[in-house]
Amino acid sequence: MRSLDRLRQSYDEDSQVVVQDRKSPPRMIFSDSEILLEELPIGTRVVFSNPPIEPLSNWRAAIRWAINHPEQSDPLHAKLRPGMKVLIAMDDISLPLPPMRTPDVRQIMLEIVLNLLADSGVDDVHLLVANALHRRMTPQEMQRMVGRKIFDAYYPDRYTNHDAEEPGGIVELGETEMHEKVRISRKATEADLVIYLNVNFVPMDGGHKSVGTGLTDYLGLRAHHTPHAIRESKSYMEPRHSALHGSVNRIGRIIDEHVDVFHIETCLNNQMFDGPLGFLGKREEDFTDFDRTALAGLRWTLSKTPRSLRQQIFHRVPAGYGLIAVAAGKTEPAHEKILEACRKQCFVRVKGQSDILVCGIPYISPYNVNSILNPLLVQVMACGYFFNMNRGIPLVKKGGTLILTHPCMDEFDPVQHPSYIEFFHRLLPETTDAMELHHKYEREFAQNPSYVHLYRKGNAYHGAHPFYMWYWGENGRAHLGQVIAVGTENQHVPKLLGWERADTLAEAIDMARGRQGRSAQMTLMHHPPMVMTEVAVSAEEEARLLGEGEPHRGGAARKPGYAAQGEP
């Protein structure tokens, strides 16, 4: 019989948290584009994502209802008049991950909005991808996102990517009370109305971040894309614990004073896998004989397939995401309604922190769609995203161990990530200190004429972008006492990142227990589909971990005057 403690644990844990016992099956763990099947020690907690919330039955009706019943705003049709100038901005290809099955929800929103504009006599309309310093989307990607009919009608003159380096293309609207520069696209300031079409995939998306971050430039992002702002953020996924979001909100409120912005925000469920690959979204306990056979066949096929082809296969398999919520109107109230739905889908309640956290790093991130996951992006996924998939209290204890599975190949896409190559091989061997990199080298990369040209005319991320990727892992690096990469194909990549390496997961677990103790509590985050945790601790422990009373509590991005440091 199980002990009383085990029985109590079975009742107290969230239903999505399973504790390994002798009868538990091995677990699927992604390692880039391969799928490992690993036995975990008895007592390991396995945190699964919540089941996909049932999507709305009629997406178009839900979108129409939202724009006709907006939050603290007149209905969209009441804001329109013949002859006005309208800018429709939308999120770029960085979400959702992987791209959703067509028609994309942005296409559905666009079709409804464009018909409404036409009925209201509005024909001066421009579509703008809010890519900030992300790479420009290719024409094929832009067409897939909005559909062939809209693409043919608007591309290339009236359907474009935001250009943060276009001469005269950015307008500065002023500063916040914390001296943060408020800079956005001139197209937005010259429009009579800006309509923003949002896809909320995780709680850090949407809200003021849409316009204030998506349509700004390098100087605008220096308000919050800094090591200091990251250090002052307890959670990227809970805005009230994020100094980054505090800064974005201050900037957004200034924008709303100068620009008429009507938001249409959507929230998707987490139906990443369906159809023939639907078993990848199941618990292993729920596998049928057919699922086990399909998994064995998939693993065999992947083992015989070159990595480049595996990546192409996975990138070409769209996700079956469903629309679960829509809200429209004024920025903050519309965003709060969407956050409620997003939290319900994403967060799983977990009792207490762990000493060891295991994460499989898959083939995709927001910054390598249709490309490879280079070493810097592996670091972002491990120390940036997966470490921060919480509402303020990390799943792993201070000084704990993170075990990740990924080959950590030293490969970069020269088209999408040219500045990453120099950053990784020139700068990191000299220093991994984020503040030193920020003050000594960031502006050099941001103003490098070659990187600016490749950003504007090619499909490359901006020269400053690899710095943001390094900053993104700042809290994970500071919090974790040990990071172990499993199955790396070389020694120098994990060494340069400050990680240890192991050939197998069992070896990594032994190494972690050697540091954390033989009785260390271990948790596996069963990605994908994506899962986030709400860690339950005592009130006293929560206050200590969240730093009650510190200056950043509630979202202050930095001490007054910080924005002036390092500025010309």
Side-chain angles (χ1 to χ4, degrees), residues 387-533:
F387 168 76
N388 284 282
M389 292 293 194
N390 59 73
R391 293 194 70 176
I393 299 175
L395 186 52
V396 62
K397 294 177 181 176
K398 177 72 173 177
T401 296
L402 173 65
I403 299 175
L404 62 98
T405 56
H406 195 276
C408 293
M409 56 277 192
D410 188 356
E411 296 178 13
F412 292 81
D413 185 335
V415 175
Q416 289 197 20
H417 305 113
S419 58
Y420 282 53
I421 301 172
E422 183 181 4
F423 180 93
F424 189 81
H425 289 289
R426 173 193 157 205
L427 301 191
L428 287 188
E430 177 182 329
T431 180
T432 58
D433 182 88
M435 288 303 295
E436 184 176 354
L437 290 165
H438 173 62
H439 289 298
K440 191 173 180 180
Y441 293 115
E442 183 185 291
R443 189 174 294 276
E444 172 197 332
F445 274 59
Q447 297 177 343
N448 183 304
S450 296
Y451 294 148
V452 170
H453 176 78
L454 292 172
Y455 162 80
R456 295 197 66 205
K457 304 301 181 182
N459 298 102
Y461 282 83
H462 193 275
H465 203 263
F467 291 82
Y468 302 157
M469 298 297 93
W470 189 250
Y471 306 158
W472 210 242
E474 183 75 357
N475 288 351
R477 290 191 297 272
H479 183 93
L480 296 165
Q482 181 184 40
V483 180
I484 305 172
V486 176
T488 65
E489 63 182 32
N490 61 71
Q491 301 271 356
H492 66 275
V493 167
K495 183 178 180 180
L496 190 55
L497 295 172
W499 299 347
E500 301 173 43
R501 67 173 301 279
D503 290 324
T504 65
L505 181 60
E507 180 187 349
I509 291 172
D510 282 342
M511 292 166 61
R513 283 176 165 172
R515 184 184 183 100
Q516 304 298 336
R518 306 309 296 179
S519 61
Q521 169 69 57
M522 184 162 63
T523 299
L524 167 70
M525 292 186 75
H526 201 284
H527 296 285
M530 185 171 54
V531 57
M532 303 183 191
T533 58

Side-chain angles (χ1 to χ4, degrees), residues 361-362 364-366 373 376-387:
I361 307 296
I364 195 168
S365 83
L373 197 72
L376 196 54
L377 294 180
V378 174
Q379 176 270 158
V380 170
M381 293 299 289
C383 298
Y385 280 108
F386 285 173
F387 168 76

Side-chain angles (χ1 to χ4, degrees), residues 317-392:
V317 177
Y321 298 122
L323 180 66
I324 60 174
V326 190
K330 197 172 180 180
T331 310
E332 293 184 19
H335 184 52
E336 191 54 44
K337 289 192 70 173
I338 294 302
L339 279 179
E340 292 176 11
C342 194
R343 289 169 180 142
K344 184 181 298 184
Q345 176 65 89
C346 291
F347 287 105
V348 173
R349 191 168 179 81
V350 178
K351 289 187 65 177
Q353 295 176 295
S354 290
D355 303 289
I356 303 170
L357 177 63
V358 181
C359 294
I361 307 296
Y363 56 92
I364 195 168
S365 83
Y367 316 110
N368 79 309
V369 179
N370 296 322
S371 182
I372 59 175
L373 197 72
N374 64 54
L376 196 54
L377 294 180
V378 174
Q379 176 270 158
V380 170
M381 293 299 289
C383 298
Y385 280 108
F386 285 173
F387 168 76
N388 284 282
M389 292 293 194
N390 59 73
R391 293 194 70 176

Side-chain angles (χ1 to χ4, degrees), residues 145-215:
M145 192 164 76
V146 303
R148 183 61 181 265
K149 183 177 180 181
I150 294 175
F151 180 83
D152 289 345
Y154 286 86
Y155 184 85
D157 297 327
R158 294 191 296 154
Y159 178 23
T160 60
N161 291 279
H162 169 64
D163 185 351
E165 293 288 349
E166 180 184 4
I170 300 293
V171 174
E172 187 164 321
L173 300 179
E175 292 186 350
T176 70
E177 66 272 21
M178 299 296 286
H179 307 292
E180 298 140 322
K181 294 182 182 297
V182 182
R183 299 168 59 86
I184 65 168
S185 169
R186 183 177 297 277
K187 293 184 177 70
T189 62
E190 292 179 348
D192 298 302
L193 176 66
V194 174
I195 303 172
Y196 198 98
L197 310 182
N198 153 267
V199 181
N200 210 291
F201 191 54
V202 295
M204 67 174 291
D205 300 329
H208 287 297
K209 185 171 177 284
S210 296
V211 175
T213 298
L215 298 181

